[in-house]
Amino acid sequence: MSSGCDIIVLRVDLSQRCTSVERLPLQDAVRFLGGRGLASRILFSETGRGSDPLGDEAVLVFAPGHLTGTCAPTAGRTTVVGKSPATGLFMKSSMGGHWGAGLKFAGYDILVVRGTASRPTYLLITDTVVQFGDASHYWGLDVRETSRRMAKELAMPDVDVACIGPSGENNVKLAGIMCTYYHAAARGGLGAALGAKNLKAIAVRGHTPMRLADPARFWDVSEQVRRRIVATGRCKFYGKYGTAGVVVGTNEMEALPVQNFRRGYMENAYSISGQCLTEKGYLVRRESCFACPIACKRYSAAREKHPGSEAGGPEYETVAAFGAGCLLEDMDDNLRANELCNILGLDSISTASVIQWAFESAERGVVPEYVDDGRGGRIRLAWGDADAVLALIEMIAYRRGFGDVLADGVRAAAQKVGGDSWRWAVEAKGLEQSRVETRMAKAYALAFATNPRGPDHLYGQPMAEFGFSPEARDLVRRLTGDAKYADPVITDHKPKLVAWHEECFAMTDSLGLCSRATLSTYAITPAMMAEMLSAATGLEVTEDEMHQAARRVINLERAFNAREGAGRKDDRLPWRLMHEELPNSRGIKAVNSEEELGTMLDEYYDIRGWDRDKGIPKASTLVSLGLGDVASALRTATAAREPSQAGKP
């Protein structure tokens, strides 16, 4: 609703079918930066240690960024925060599209959902009503059909819908929350958490104008930011080819995860690239999220196979996971796999990852070559078999046949099947690794190991280590003293790079901006974010204060996991990446060794003010950030878990 007034929190209790409104002081938007930071604060305060992420007590927080809905370039993002059904730990997942702006225009900055509805339910939130609706007739529909029918039946063609597909209804732990049809808060199984609450969809529409403390100043700085984005070469690249445009370059570096991270190079990688999508006629149109001048989103359609198949995307992560990971070299097959994940509400990274694990398990004789499809037939688990991949996606979403073995993620599947299959289960903390080859990128290795979500690119994203652009090399020089450290296969100064990127990501999420502009391209700097937040709120914020607030958010999220018992022992990478060398033609010893990771962890913990042995925030660090209550909660949790440690921080 506003960037220059109190923060309006809408609370919904599904069990009691009631709502309430809470006002938070505007100063909290500076202290926690807004969206994600405030959501993490609410989650920590309102979630008990050991709580069930699929239980009645589970809390889900939908938090558009503090600038979402304004004219700030790329300010269209929303972060969903909750306890992950996949990992049992902290989870934040960000989605683009227009839903966040719709919630702001309806008059609310944050939505908190708790309790469980007695029957399938949807929420309608506008600037005049908050209404519970019967969603029984939507239950079982896919994401696309749910969104279309709701818009028609509500007689609101411009309503924005966030919903789950059949996978969320079936509590599949790979399920995400989809919005504006093809935008996803995909990671960590938060779609399953929504399904457990019997909440099928949240529709938003509003027309309340945003209020800014200093509109003229805000407009000026936003225009400066827009011009910088338009002039940045990497932004132009993403606008032309989408995120899938990086497939070719990643493959040339021999860092494209192929066949379940067994190789780094794929013959004919062009066939799954953004360049192929654009040049061979698959691209229907370019799209953008709210207020975004980059327009990296795609809308694509199959050409020769799977007639009628079309959807938003695919992103790099999807074609890398299905195309390179499962060995699907045909773009049509990748587009159909992408469409199925979108409409069934599945995280394409985790879904493709668990299918790769199944293929390798069959190859190694740990599971049968042919498995039950749940409909009286069988499918063959074989690399590059598109029919098998497409069938498995549906089997996972509906927990049908062998799909039920895969539906709780690759760690759970390996535990069910047994043998040595855990060695090629490419996960850590229970989350499947996204498509970054950390054996060839040491800052990413550290960022993935320390990420409270698990091995994933959307918490730190230290892309500067590759030195792809003048902006990236300049950042490395400023942080380390020399641009020569923009080298992904050395470990020197990587903890500094990771810490800076994590803080920049916390600012990005909390303000509702896109990491494509702040971290993939470095077009928007922390100083620009500070200037926009100051103009929006009327509260002057410096770049240093932005970093301090980001550290507060990061420590809060780390403390959530520490309260659950997680620490240094969990800051790991998948077994394969720490024990098997990646073949490459450059003679690089490409592996994430214990020694290498341990050295980087020590330096990283020191930078963060965390205990080296435990990998958790020191009480003095939390107190210095104004999180004394969090330090007390950690002390209590430690005492409950380790009675002999009672009284110690």
Side-chain angles (χ1 to χ4, degrees), residues 221-432:
V221 65
S222 295
E223 179 59 16
Q224 292 172 25
V225 170
R226 189 194 66 78
R227 289 177 182 172
R228 182 174 160 97
I229 288 173
V230 171
T232 300
R234 293 291 291 177
C235 292
K236 295 176 183 175
F237 174 85
Y238 284 117
K240 186 173 184 180
Y241 294 120
T243 59
V246 305
V247 165
V248 173
T250 306
N251 195 51
E252 289 173 353
M253 293 174 59
E254 300 177 87
L256 181 67
V258 178
Q259 204 175 13
N260 203 24
F261 285 83
R262 289 156 75 172
R263 294 183 281 123
Y265 184 82
M266 175 185 182
E267 297 292 340
N268 194 25
Y270 173 83
S271 68
I272 62 167
S273 70
Q275 289 82 347
C276 176
L277 199 71
T278 302
E279 294 160 359
K280 299 299 182 183
Y282 298 98
L283 179 65
V284 176
R285 62 178 180 271
R286 294 179 174 83
E287 296 185 343
S288 70
C289 300
F290 184 91
C292 181
I294 300 175
C296 71
K297 307 300 291 185
R298 318 280 94 173
Y299 191 88
S300 310
R303 291 178 50 207
E304 298 178 358
K305 299 164 64 177
H306 316 297
S309 179
E310 60 183 50
E315 303 283 348
Y316 162 79
E317 288 289 339
T318 301
V319 293
F322 283 109
C326 298
L327 301 186
L328 298 188
E329 295 189 1
D330 188 302
M331 181 61 85
D332 278 339
D333 292 332
N334 280 277
L335 294 181
R336 179 58 178 160
N338 173 63
E339 180 189 31
L340 281 176
C341 287
N342 277 336
I343 64 176
L344 296 173
L346 285 166
D347 172 8
S348 61
I349 299 172
S350 289
T351 302
S353 183
V354 77
I355 290 173
Q356 291 169 50
W357 171 87
F359 286 170
E360 185 164 350
S361 295
E363 177 188 356
R364 295 177 183 272
V366 179
V367 301
E369 182 180 1
Y370 289 88
V371 294
D372 172 26
D373 71 357
R375 286 179 166 170
R378 298 191 304 166
I379 65 164
R380 180 169 176 250
L381 300 177
W383 296 105
D385 188 326
D387 291 339
V389 170
L390 300 179
L392 283 164
I393 293 172
E394 294 196 66
M395 290 161 58
I396 291 169
Y398 291 97
R399 289 188 175 273
R400 226 173 39 221
F402 189 68
D404 190 44
V405 175
L406 308 179
D408 291 327
V410 72
R411 175 182 283 189
Q415 290 170 346
K416 292 173 189 172
V417 167
D420 286 337
S421 64
W422 57 273
R423 291 174 179 252
W424 55 89
V426 184
E427 60 81 24
K429 296 188 177 83
L431 188 75
E432 295 75 20

Side-chain angles (χ1 to χ4, degrees), residues 25 31 58 67 94 206 233 267 275 363 385 395 401 407 418 456 464 466-467 473-474 491 497 561 565 576 603 633 648:
R31 191 159 178 259
L67 303 182
S94 174
E267 297 292 340
Q275 289 82 347
E363 177 188 356
D385 188 326
M395 290 161 58
D456 171 86
F466 293 104
R473 292 189 291 276
D474 182 61
T491 58
L497 291 183
N561 282 2
R576 165 160 284 169
E603 185 179 343
K648 297 182 180 180

Side-chain angles (χ1 to χ4, degrees), residues 33 194 215 263 306 322 572 596 625:
L33 296 171
L194 210 61
R263 294 183 281 123
H306 316 297
F322 283 109
R572 314 287 298 164
E596 174 186 276
L625 292 167

Side-chain angles (χ1 to χ4, degrees), residues 445-493:
L446 177 62
F448 278 31
T450 57
N451 186 339
R453 317 197 315 166
D456 171 86
H457 59 298
L458 295 178
Y459 195 85
Q461 203 172 15
M463 197 171 280
E465 73 167 329
F466 293 104
F468 282 149
S469 66
E471 293 84 2
R473 292 189 291 276
D474 182 61
L475 175 63
V476 172
R477 182 188 56 74
R478 285 192 288 113
L479 293 176
T480 68
D482 198 321
K484 72 179 183 182
Y485 296 112
D487 182 341
V489 296
I490 63 174
T491 58
D492 306 73
H493 297 294

Side-chain angles (χ1 to χ4, degrees), residues 441-598:
K442 304 304 184 181
Y444 267 101
L446 177 62
F448 278 31
T450 57
N451 186 339
R453 317 197 315 166
D456 171 86
H457 59 298
L458 295 178
Y459 195 85
Q461 203 172 15
M463 197 171 280
E465 73 167 329
F466 293 104
F468 282 149
S469 66
E471 293 84 2
R473 292 189 291 276
D474 182 61
L475 175 63
V476 172
R477 182 188 56 74
R478 285 192 288 113
L479 293 176
T480 68
D482 198 321
K484 72 179 183 182
Y485 296 112
D487 182 341
V489 296
I490 63 174
T491 58
D492 306 73
H493 297 294
K494 293 302 166 62
K496 291 179 187 172
L497 291 183
V498 170
W500 186 93
H501 283 79
E502 288 176 341
E503 290 163 18
C504 189
F505 216 122
M507 300 174 204
T508 302
D509 280 343
S510 297
L511 267 56
L513 306 180
C514 180
S515 65
R516 194 79 53 236
T518 59
L519 289 154
S520 296
T521 62
Y522 305 101
I524 301 179
T525 66
M528 292 174 176
M529 288 191 266
E531 180 70 9
M532 287 191 285
L533 184 59
S534 298
T537 60
L539 303 172
E540 290 302 318
V541 190
T542 67
E543 180 179 350
D544 286 345
E545 288 169 336
M546 294 287 285
H547 277 282
Q548 181 75 345
R551 292 182 199 114
R552 189 172 291 118
V553 175
I554 291 164
N555 273 272
L556 191 54
E557 293 165 353
R558 184 74 175 190
F560 184 96
N561 282 2
R563 191 173 58 180
E564 296 294 327
R568 181 168 185 140
K569 66 182 183 344
D570 303 287
D571 286 345
R572 314 287 298 164
L573 291 163
W575 188 91
R576 165 160 284 169
L577 307 186
M578 296 194 68
H579 294 86
E580 297 180 5
E581 289 190 28
L582 178 71
N584 63 88
S585 64
R586 291 188 283 168
I588 297 170
K589 184 178 175 59
V591 68
N592 298 130
S593 70
E594 294 273 0
E595 180 182 6
E596 174 186 276
L597 181 59

